[in-house]
Amino acid sequence: MPVTFDLDKCDGCGTCDSICPGDVIFMHRPKLVESPDGSGVMVKITEERLPFGSNLNKRAPYLPRPEECWHCGSCRQDCPTEAISIVFSPEMLCI
Amino acid sequence: MKIREFSADVLIIGGGLAGANAALGAADTGASVIVLEKSNIDRSGDIGGGVDHFMAYLNTNSSWDTEDSFLSYVEKIGRGTNHLGHIQSLYCAELPAAIERMARIGNPLTQPDGTFYRTQSMGQPGPLWINFNGKLLKPKLGKAVRKAGCKVFGRTMTADLLTRDGQVVGAMGYHIRTGSFFVFKAKATIISTGNTNRLYENPRLNPFNTWLCPYNTGDGQMMAFKAGAALTNMEYMRMTILPKGFAAPGFNALVGMGGRFMNSLGEYYMEGSHPLGNKAPRYTVVFNTLNEIRNGRGPVYVDCTHLPGEKMRHLQSTLGYDKDTLPDYFEQRGEDLANKPLEIMVSEGMQAGPTEVTGSGIKIDGEGASTVPGLYACGDSADHNRCVHGAITGGYKAGKSAAAYALKRRLGDSPSAALVQETVDRFVAPFYNNNGTPYRQIEDAIRKIMGEHVGPARTEMGLKAGLEKLAKLEIHMDDIKVDDRHDLMRVNETRNLLSVGKIMASSALFRTESRNKPYHHRLDFPETDDKNWCGLVVVKQRASAVDCSFERIIYHDK
C-alpha cells in the first residue's frame, strides 16, 4: 500500500479522503447487520477491504485502488494525528 | 432526474494553481465566481503537495535580470512556438503583482530572511529560478479563493461545456461520489485543467507514476476543441528527467545546484555537447539523455557528490518542497546524494508545452481568450501559459479578462431539458454496458500506440499507422464497462486521452520539420526549418475530423 494508516492514531476525521487529489482514499463506515448465523444478533461488518485488526467502532480510511496513488504526500501533510506513512512499492524501489 | 442549476458571472473549470489564481483575478474584478474541481482545490493539480520553483526576472542590476533579457530567452528556447507579445501581456505585465500576491496569501517566494534564493538551469541567461517553500501554497490559495467569495464545487468533474449560438455559456458537472449532475450557467468560462498525462507508456511501469498530476487528462482541451476552439502546439510531446523509479520532480533543484549528468562509462555527457552543459535547455538534456540510453550507455545518473557542504545542505533540506515524499523515497531506496550519483531516467511523454515558457493546448490571445466567445484558458491547458510562473500570472490575467467580458453581458437562458438529458445519458452510458472492457485495458493500448508511433522519434509512416490504430481503438470506447462512480470519471478521462492522442499525431504529421527535439523530432524531416515552419500548427475540429493549419510567427530580429 502506498499510503499506510496507523489506525491506533487515526481518529477517523476523513481529512485524507477529503483532500486526496486522485479520489484514491475512501472512509469506511462500519455497518450493523444481522448475523448470518440466524441468531438475530446484530454484528458490525466491513463492506470493504479494511486492514486486518481494524477497530470497527470508528470510521477508517482505506485505498480501494492503491495503484492510482500519485504519492504526492498531501494526505500525510494534512493528517491532524500524524497517522499516515508513505511506503513505496518494491518495483519503485528496485528498478 | 432532478438536476440543480447554479449560475455565476465566471465559471472556472479546474481549481489547480492556474484556476485558483483565475478565481482571484475574476473575484478581484468584481465578478461572481464558481470553481469546479475534480478533487479538492486545497490539494489538487500539479503542485497540490508542494512546489519549490518560480521563474522570474527581478530587475536587479544584472543584464540578464530584465524583461528584455527574459523575452530574448523565451525567443531563444521557444522560437516558433509562441508570440512574444502574448508572453509579455500574460506573464511580464502580471509578474510584480503575482510575486506580491503570493506573499499576501501567506506563501511568499522569499526565504525566511526575506531574500530570494535564485538558481540557474534549462538554458536561462542567469539564475531566473526562485527557489522557495511552496508546500502549503495550494491550501493557502484555496483559503484565499473561498475568502474572496468564490463558490467551490469539489469532486465535480465537468461533463461538457454548454454552448449556444457559437458561444460558451457554462458547463454541466458530475459529482464523482454522489453521481449527481449539475448545470452551471455562466457569462464567461475559463478552462484551467492542466496538461495531459497518462498518455504515453510509462518507463516506471505504473501509468499513474507520472511527473505531472496523473489525474490531469486533457479534459478541458477536449471540451474546448469540441466547442469549436482552436488548439496549438499539440505536436510537442514533453519529457523530462526524473529519478529512476519515482516520477518526482527534482531536475531543477539538482541541476540548479550544480548536478552533473553522467553515463555508465562515467562520462559527463552534457559537458562539451552544449555551450551551457548541464544547464542546457530541458529538451536538449532529454535529447542527449535518450541518445545515451539508446546507445547502450545507460544507466544514467545525476552526480551531486562534488557539491560543497553548504549547497548540499540546502539541496537536501529543500528536496521535499517540490515533492513532499521524495526524501522518503531516497531513504527507502537507499540513495545518498552526497556520496553516490543518483540514477535517473527520461520521463514518460505527455502533452505539454515545448519549453518552460511556452504552453500547448487551447489557443489564447494576450488576454487569455480562446477563439470561441465566452471561453478563456490558462495554465498548462493553454498554449501561451506554462509552469508555476505561467499559471500564477496568466491565471490571474485570464480571470480579470473573463470577468471584464462577463460584467458587460447578461446571463442567458437555461439549456433545454433535452440537451441536459442527452449529456447525462452520454456520460453514464458505460454504467449500462452489461459486458465490456475495463477502461484500464483501453488506456494501456492508447499508451502503447502513443509510445511506439507518436513518441520522441517520428516518421510519416509511423504517425499514420498510429492514427489508424487509434481510430480502430476508438470503436471499442463504447464497449467500456464501469462498475462505480469513480471509474465513470476515469472512463471519461480515457476518452479524452484518446482524443488528445489523435490530435497530437495529426499535428505531428502536419509539421514536416523538427523543432525542440525530441519533443517534435521527425526522422524524415530532421532539421528545424525556420523559413517554412517558424510558427504554430493550429488545430480545429471540422466535421468531427482534425483540421490543421499554420500560423506564422514574425520575430523582429535585433
Side-chain angles (χ1 to χ4, degrees), chain A residues 17 23 65 68 71 76 92, chain B residues 215 325 328-329 484 486:
Chain A
D17 170 22
D23 192 41
R65 300 170 187 84
E68 293 187 2
H71 299 80
R76 181 177 62 176
M92 292 176 79
Chain B
Y215 320 117
T325 50
D328 302 82
Y329 178 71
D484 64 20
H486 173 94

Side-chain angles (χ1 to χ4, degrees), chain B residues 222-241:
Chain B
M222 290 309 98
M223 272 179 245
F225 183 70
K226 279 193 291 169
L231 312 177
T232 81
N233 284 343
M234 294 295 284
E235 60 275 35
Y236 297 105
M237 177 209 58
R238 192 176 174 82
M239 299 173 108
T240 189
I241 303 287

Side-chain angles (χ1 to χ4, degrees), chain B residues 170-487:
Chain B
M172 281 188 60
Y174 159 76
H175 196 284
I176 63 171
R177 286 286 176 96
T178 66
S180 306
F181 283 85
F182 310 105
V183 166
F184 299 97
K185 283 164 56 180
K187 301 176 195 169
T189 300
I190 303 175
I191 287 180
S192 43
T193 52
N195 73 313
T196 309
N197 302 297
R198 252 164 60 210
L199 181 58
Y200 280 84
E201 262 183 312
N202 195 304
R204 290 163 194 79
L205 307 173
N206 180 353
F208 286 83
N209 188 354
T210 52
W211 175 41
L212 300 177
C213 181
Y215 320 117
N216 289 354
T217 48
D219 305 354
Q221 291 92 312
M222 290 309 98
M223 272 179 245
F225 183 70
K226 279 193 291 169
L231 312 177
T232 81
N233 284 343
M234 294 295 284
E235 60 275 35
Y236 297 105
M237 177 209 58
R238 192 176 174 82
M239 299 173 108
T240 189
I241 303 287
L242 300 167
K244 185 66 189 281
F246 182 28
F251 181 10
N252 280 346
L254 296 168
V255 179
M257 277 297 159
R260 304 168 73 192
F261 294 100
M262 187 180 87
N263 64 21
S264 64
L265 292 172
E267 297 163 344
Y268 294 101
Y269 59 86
M270 284 308 299
E271 296 168 20
S273 71
H274 188 277
L276 291 169
N278 299 296
K279 295 179 191 293
R282 192 192 302 260
Y283 51 80
T284 307
V285 174
V286 171
F287 187 73
N288 288 17
T289 305
L290 278 172
N291 276 345
E292 293 300 314
I293 294 166
R294 283 172 183 149
N295 290 315
R297 293 191 290 272
V300 285
Y301 300 87
V302 64
D303 182 5
C304 295
T305 55
H306 60 286
L307 294 185
E310 186 211 341
K311 279 196 166 181
M312 182 54 73
R313 275 191 294 280
H314 180 85
L315 181 61
Q316 287 178 326
S317 66
T318 58
L319 261 186
Y321 290 176
D322 217 27
K323 190 81 174 186
D324 178 59
T325 50
L326 185 57
D328 302 82
Y329 178 71
F330 282 170
E331 194 190 328
Q332 290 174 35
R333 192 177 161 105
E335 298 292 354
D336 177 4
L337 291 179
N339 292 303
K340 66 171 190 171
L342 170 75
E343 189 180 343
I344 53 166
M345 183 64 183
V346 173
S347 75
E348 72 285 353
M350 65 201 84
Q351 175 263 318
T355 75
E356 282 55 63
V357 284
T358 316
S360 157
I362 301 166
K363 184 181 196 309
I364 56 172
D365 62 16
E367 300 298 307
S370 79
T371 54
V372 171
L375 185 66
Y376 293 74
C378 56
D380 277 5
S381 57
D383 72 341
H384 275 82
N385 225 192
R386 230 211 94 71
C387 288
V388 174
H389 47 280
I392 295 175
T393 53
Y396 195 81
K397 174 75 176 182
K400 286 194 293 186
S401 305
Y405 175 92
L407 292 172
K408 283 185 265 173
R409 281 166 176 78
R410 288 217 319 263
L411 205 60
D413 297 334
S414 297
S416 70
L419 175 68
V420 169
Q421 194 56 50
E422 191 192 314
T423 306
V424 171
D425 289 347
R426 197 172 55 237
F427 197 90
V428 301
F431 252 137
Y432 299 103
N433 278 347
N434 288 327
N435 299 300
T437 318
Y439 85 87
R440 180 73 179 260
Q441 254 173 278
I442 301 285
E443 267 197 35
D444 285 342
I446 296 172
R447 285 186 276 271
K448 185 81 179 159
I449 296 167
M450 292 301 287
E452 291 185 353
H453 299 289
V454 199
R458 302 164 167 177
T459 61
E460 179 181 339
M461 203 185 286
L463 289 165
K464 283 182 173 167
L467 277 166
E468 270 175 35
K469 290 178 184 180
L470 288 172
K472 213 166 145 188
L473 189 61
E474 195 168 16
I475 297 166
H476 297 283
M477 285 299 301
D478 290 337
D479 301 334
I480 293 183
K481 170 169 175 50
V482 302
D483 293 321
D484 64 20
R485 291 162 184 167
H486 173 94
D487 278 0

